[in-house]
């Protein structure tokens, strides 16, 4: 961070406090309030962090008004068109696009770590058969620190590197095993001759009794879904990973915390909730009923897949996802999929409805991803696990950046206390 050249003045009663204004490479400047409490004995109040930059980061940039998403400066639509998931993983982790040699070395390293310690299989079997795959993933990823002791020392750069590669490599295996377990099929071991996306499809859909050939259309679509979910700045789950990591917790525990946060329907769980909503709507003629419910202040219902804290324009990931949905469904010959018809009409109506227009509620990444995953044969319960395995690289990159940041401290927000003031403990008979 460069030395600040401007300051802001804050007047509290008759005291004037000068706050440095810091500038990034792009995006809004930030008021540096780190010394505010010491100088003025006040905290700032910002539930939900709507106006708070919690860290310095050089990984991902979002311009919510323009609807722009950059990874290390590269626009997501260019990456989606020209790159592939593992190359984007390299970019996020190391800051630059790889040369051919660097890429092949990285792909080789990830590929050699796709298997899980065999004893982890026993761990899966302890879950109830009907467990949600996200529940299984939170548990199994957290448990990795009990298996890979040689990569849990956060102060050792090599440990950090190995744990990063291990998690990028093993998350698809864990997600696929969670799925196989939930449907009562045998686990399928990774096949390292396949691509990252192809291997994931293989582990989900192959069975020992038959040969499974990865469909290249679905492989490409899977890779693109992974790429579009790879990182997204300081969202709730990434901030959770950073907060967990700020205490010095090991990387496997931090990623398990991120997965737990992602599960919520306001965040990664929205893809499952969205497809279930589209199915519940069922036919185009029922859309007005659901739009009315979304607008009703007394109804907690929200249109899933719409709205975003940062985007006040089209989510650029949703644009690419929509193209992919058209492509995949067209190539699979199911373009008349009723869910897609409902989604398209819902989008059209919502984008012209004053409520959604005024509040700048546009479709987000979760609006179309479920339609593609459904067409591929995934049950809705697997949508969020796929988001989680794709986001792992973003979480890890942000966690590594935080550990390397010399200004990093344990995350410890304060509060505006509104509870009772000091009072004496009464005996039971006086309550
Ligand atoms: N349907 C109906 N109304 C909505 C919606 C929606 N999907 N989203 C926001 N609003 C309204 C909200 O009621 C509020 O109205 P008012 O100002 O009258 O009180 C206004 O828009 C602002 O909403 P907010 O909840 O204050 O905004 P937020 O930034 O805190 O929430 C959000 C962002 C994504 C949680 C929210 O838009 C939402 O719940 N969307 C549906 C769930 C969803 O699709 N989540 C995926 C997000 S993208 C992927 C990811 O992050 O994982």
């Amino acid at each position: 961070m460069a030395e600040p050249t401007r300051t802001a003045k804050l007047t509290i009663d008759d005291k004037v406090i000068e706050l440095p204004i810091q500038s990034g490479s792009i995006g809004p400047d930030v008021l540096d309030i780190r010394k505010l409490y010491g100088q003025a004995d006040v905290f700032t109040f910002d539930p939900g962090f709507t106006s708070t930059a919690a860290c310095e980061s050089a990984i991902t940039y979002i311009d919510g008004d323009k609807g722009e998403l950059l990874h290390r400066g590269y626009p997501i639509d260019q990456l989606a068109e020209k790159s592939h998931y593992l190359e984007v993983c390299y970019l996020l982790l190391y800051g630059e696009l790889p040369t051919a040699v660097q890429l092949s070395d990285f792909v080789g390293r990830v590929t050699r770590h796709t298997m899980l310690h065999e004893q982890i299989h026993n761990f899966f079997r302890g879950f109830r058969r009907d467990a949600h795959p996200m529940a299984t993933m939170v548990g199994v990823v957290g448990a990795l620190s009990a298996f890979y002791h040689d990569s849990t020392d956060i102060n050792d750069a090599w440990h950090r590197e190995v744990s990063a590669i291990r998690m990028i490599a093993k998350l698809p295996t864990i997600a696929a095993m969670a799925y196989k377990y939930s449907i009562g099929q045998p686990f399928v071991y990774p096949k390292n001759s396949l691509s990252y996306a192809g291997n994931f499809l293989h582990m989900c859909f192959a069975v020992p009794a038959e040969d499974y050939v990865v469909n290249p259309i679905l492989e490409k679509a899977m890779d693109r879904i992974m790429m579009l979910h790879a990182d997204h700045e300081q969202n709730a789950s990434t901030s959770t990973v950073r907060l967990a990591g700020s205490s010095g917790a090991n990387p496997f525990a931090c990623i398990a915390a991120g997965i737990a946060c992602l599960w919520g329907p306001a965040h990664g769980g929205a893809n499952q909730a969205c497809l279930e909503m589209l199915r519940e709507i069922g036919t185009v003629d029922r859309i007005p009923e659901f739009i009315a419910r979304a607008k009703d202040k007394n109804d907690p219902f929200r249109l899933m897949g719409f709205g975003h804290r940062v985007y006040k324009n089209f989510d650029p990931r949703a644009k690419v996802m929509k193209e992919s949905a058209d492509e995949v469904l067209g190539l699979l010959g199911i373009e008349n999929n009723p869910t897609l018809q409902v989604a398209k009409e819902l989008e059209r109506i919502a984008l012209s409805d004053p409520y959604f227009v005024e509040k700048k509620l546009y479709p987000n990444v979760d609006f179309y991803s479920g339609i593609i995953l459904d067409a591929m044969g995934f049950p809705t319960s697997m949508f969020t696990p796929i988001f989680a395995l794709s986001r792992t690289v973003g979480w890890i990159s942000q966690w590594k950046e935080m550990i390397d940041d010399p200004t990093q401290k344990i995350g410890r927000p304060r509060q505006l206390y509104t509870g009772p003031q000091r009072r004496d403990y009464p005996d039971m008979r006086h309550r």
Side-chain angles (χ1 to χ4, degrees), residues 265-268 270 294 297 302-309 312 317 355-356 359 361 364-366 387:
H267 192 8
K297 282 257 165 256
R302 284 186 168 202
L303 273 194
M304 301 314 286
F306 274 81
H308 197 274
R309 168 63 61 77
K312 299 304 165 202
R317 303 168 300 171
Y355 174 93
F356 289 87
K359 293 185 191 301
L361 299 171
N364 60 47
V365 69
D366 293 318
F387 192 157

Side-chain angles (χ1 to χ4, degrees), residues 188-243:
V188 174
Y189 284 93
K191 198 170 180 182
N192 289 350
S193 56
L194 296 173
S195 70
Y196 188 89
N199 181 42
F200 177 62
L201 293 174
H202 161 80
M203 289 188 291
C204 288
F205 297 123
V207 287
E210 282 175 22
D211 287 336
Y212 174 80
V213 180
V214 178
N215 178 328
I217 299 162
L218 302 189
E219 183 180 10
K220 186 174 164 233
M222 189 75 244
D223 187 89
R224 190 173 264 194
I225 287 176
M226 289 169 167
M227 206 191 315
L228 293 175
H229 287 93
D231 190 46
H232 212 228
E233 208 228 59
Q234 307 309 321
N235 56 84
S237 56
T238 302
S239 300
T240 301
V241 170
R242 280 187 179 257
L243 196 57

Side-chain angles (χ1 to χ4, degrees), residues 23-34:
S23 298
S25 45
I26 31 174
D29 292 340
V30 299
L31 276 183
D32 185 342
I33 56 156
R34 280 177 289 182

Side-chain angles (χ1 to χ4, degrees), residues 106-126:
F106 178 70
V107 172
R109 279 190 293 142
V110 170
T111 306
R112 275 195 303 276
H113 280 283
T114 48
M115 292 208 306
L116 284 178
H117 192 294
E118 197 64 14
Q119 259 181 288
I120 296 180
H121 291 214
N122 303 334
F123 205 85
F124 273 89
R125 294 195 171 92

